[in-house]
């Protein structure tokens, strides 16, 4: 669906990216402008439905006159700005960020990261096997979703989606400091004893697969998860009158997970437990 945003027209700012003149509406980030002209800047903690947290710094670019590298995902574009996305300094910084993350966290289910590691010649192995931040079994304490914190980069997206940016449930938070920092529910209880309402909006925003549908987790473990073979069909949830859009991900004639389009003006990618996980009744053939 193509959305045409309504509102007061915004002034167009003129500036340059890698020496090329660009124009972007006032309020755009450098990342928005880069994407509008087809420039690829890696991102991890950025989310198109969330306020930037600047947690990962993999998106840094150089701005003429700025003392430090700036995160493209949050820095607003300004008229006359001269942005360089691919300088040696920016590339070196991305390489270090990727090495630190990939040496301490399991990024095996993070989309695109393998390509970035190659592109920036990152060598996470140089830190050795002791660099792993955690080493624990995935938390499988309910039938709907799995928390595998060995894959968590502490980007805060799930906390923001569960908290004041979308769900307002506040079931999860960052606990501990430094190397002991981690995402947890109150008293590190099982999810079933927490305030979680199983909307799954945290899964929707998690960039690494640390939070995943139980169906996806089980299929990955069995070696049957085959994303290229899946189809996506967007339909309307029939459980109540809100009319949320659901995107059904189907593999071998079975719905394997449900998401919602991020540009949908009703859901902005969010759902409730019925829309997100109620699909099992569709294929219950018992
Ligand atoms: S669980 Fe996912 S969304 Fe939450 S902080 Fe970790 S990586 Fe980010
Ligand atoms: S996802 Fe939840 S709120 Fe949205 S239409 Fe379905 S039941 Fe209603
Ligand atoms: S994507 Fe910009 S700081 Fe993480």
């Amino acid at each position: 669906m193509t959305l045409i945003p309504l509102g007061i027209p915004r002034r167009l700012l003129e500036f340059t990216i890698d020496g090329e003149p660009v124009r972007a509406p006032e309020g755009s980030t450098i990342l928005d402008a880069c994407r509008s002209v087809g420039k690829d800047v890696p991102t991890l903690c950025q989310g198109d439905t969330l306020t930037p947290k600047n947690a990962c710094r993999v998106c840094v670019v150089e701005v003429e006159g700025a003392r430090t590298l700036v995160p493209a995902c949050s820095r607003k574009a300004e008229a006359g700005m001269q942005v360089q996305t691919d300088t040696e300094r920016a590339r070196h910084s991305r390489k270090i960020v990727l090495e630190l993350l990939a040496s301490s966290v399991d990024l095996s289910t993070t989309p695109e990261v393998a390509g970035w590691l190659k592109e920036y010649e990152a060598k996470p192995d140089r830190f050795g096997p002791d660099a792993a931040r955690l080493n624990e079994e995935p938390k499988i304490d309910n039938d709907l979703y799995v928390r595998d914190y060995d894959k968590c980069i502490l980007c805060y997206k799930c906390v923001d989606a569960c908290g004041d940016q979308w769900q307002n449930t506040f079931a999860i938070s960052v606990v501990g400091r430094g190397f002991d920092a981690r995402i947890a529910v109150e008293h590190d209880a099982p999810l079933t004893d927490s305030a979680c309402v199983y909307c799954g909006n945290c899964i929707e925003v998690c960039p690494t697969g640390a939070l995943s549908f139980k169906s996806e987790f089980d299929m990955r473990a069995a070696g049957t998860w085959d994303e290229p073979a899946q189809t996506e069909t967007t339909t309307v949830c029939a459980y109540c009158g809100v009319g949320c859009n659901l995107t059904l991900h189907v593999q071998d004639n079975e719905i394997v997970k449900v998401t919602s389009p991020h540009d949908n003006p009703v859901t902005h990618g969010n759902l409730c437990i019925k829309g997100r996980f109620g699909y099992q009744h569709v294929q219950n053939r018992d």
Side-chain angles (χ1 to χ4, degrees):
M1 177 175 29
T2 304
L3 287 180
I4 301 173
L6 299 175
I8 302 167
R10 289 186 289 165
R11 191 163 64 101
L12 284 178
L13 304 173
E14 296 187 1
F15 57 103
T16 63
I17 298 179
D18 297 336
E20 301 287 328
V22 293
R23 299 204 303 169
E26 196 169 25
S28 305
T29 61
I30 293 176
L31 181 68
D32 294 332
C34 286
R35 287 181 173 167
S36 74
V37 293
K39 292 262 175 212
D40 190 24
V41 176
T43 58
L44 284 170
C45 72
Q46 183 266 350
D48 57 351
T49 59
L50 296 166
T51 304
K53 207 70 168 187
N54 297 316
C56 76
R57 301 274 161 168
V58 78
C59 66
V60 287
V61 294
E62 233 173 318
V63 172
E64 181 75 23
R67 187 175 54 85
T68 58
L69 294 169
V70 304
C73 68
S74 63
R75 179 69 181 266
K76 295 277 193 284
E78 292 165 31
M81 206 177 218
Q82 293 174 46
V83 179
Q84 297 288 344
T85 65
D86 207 31
T87 60
E88 195 183 334
R89 192 173 167 217
R91 290 182 67 85
H92 185 69
S93 179
R94 287 180 203 153
K95 172 184 166 167
I96 298 293
V97 166
L98 289 166
E99 282 184 341
L100 292 174
L101 285 176
S103 63
S104 57
V105 177
D106 173 3
L107 298 181
S108 58
T109 52
T110 305
E112 298 189 68
V113 85
W116 297 335
L117 289 168
K118 214 167 156 187
E119 181 181 345
Y120 295 103
E121 297 173 358
K123 296 187 176 57
D125 293 348
R126 70 192 175 96
F127 296 103
D130 294 340
R133 202 172 61 79
L134 293 177
N135 199 355
E136 62 179 36
E137 291 298 309
K139 291 181 187 297
I140 310 170
D141 51 16
N142 66 88
D143 292 337
L144 302 183
Y145 78 93
V146 174
R147 297 173 292 153
D148 184 355
Y149 288 127
D150 278 3
K151 294 181 175 175
C152 175
I153 58 167
L154 285 172
C155 70
Y156 297 80
K157 285 165 86 172
C158 55
V159 177
D160 287 343
C162 184
D164 62 354
Q165 291 195 30
W166 289 117
Q167 186 61 26
N168 282 290
T169 291
F170 301 96
I172 46 177
S173 184
V174 180
V175 299
R177 300 183 66 113
F179 279 109
D180 294 328
R182 52 185 297 141
I183 306 293
V185 301
E186 62 270 28
H187 308 300
D188 209 11
L191 214 56
T192 44
D193 293 342
S194 76
C196 175
V197 295
Y198 298 93
C199 61
N201 295 332
C202 55
I203 308 175
E204 184 79 38
V205 297
C206 180
T208 63
L211 308 174
S212 67
F213 282 74
K214 175 89 167 32
S215 48
E216 176 174 346
F217 181 86
D218 289 344
M219 288 172 76
R220 282 188 188 275
T224 56
W225 182 256
D226 186 2
E227 218 154 297
Q230 292 169 14
T231 57
E232 294 180 17
T233 304
T234 298
T235 181
V236 178
C237 177
Y239 273 115
C240 83
V242 176
C244 301
N245 272 189
L246 309 180
T247 300
L248 311 178
H249 299 246
V250 175
Q251 181 179 328
D252 297 330
N253 217 22
E254 297 274 338
I255 300 168
V256 291
K257 71 174 183 181
V258 174
T259 58
S260 183
H262 288 197
D263 64 356
N264 183 271
V266 177
T267 68
H268 301 282
N270 299 294
L271 292 170
C272 71
I273 183 174
K274 293 175 284 181
R276 181 83 65 192
F277 293 110
Y279 63 87
Q280 281 144 9
H281 81 98
V282 176
Q283 51 208 27
N284 188 345
R285 299 186 176 105
D286 294 337

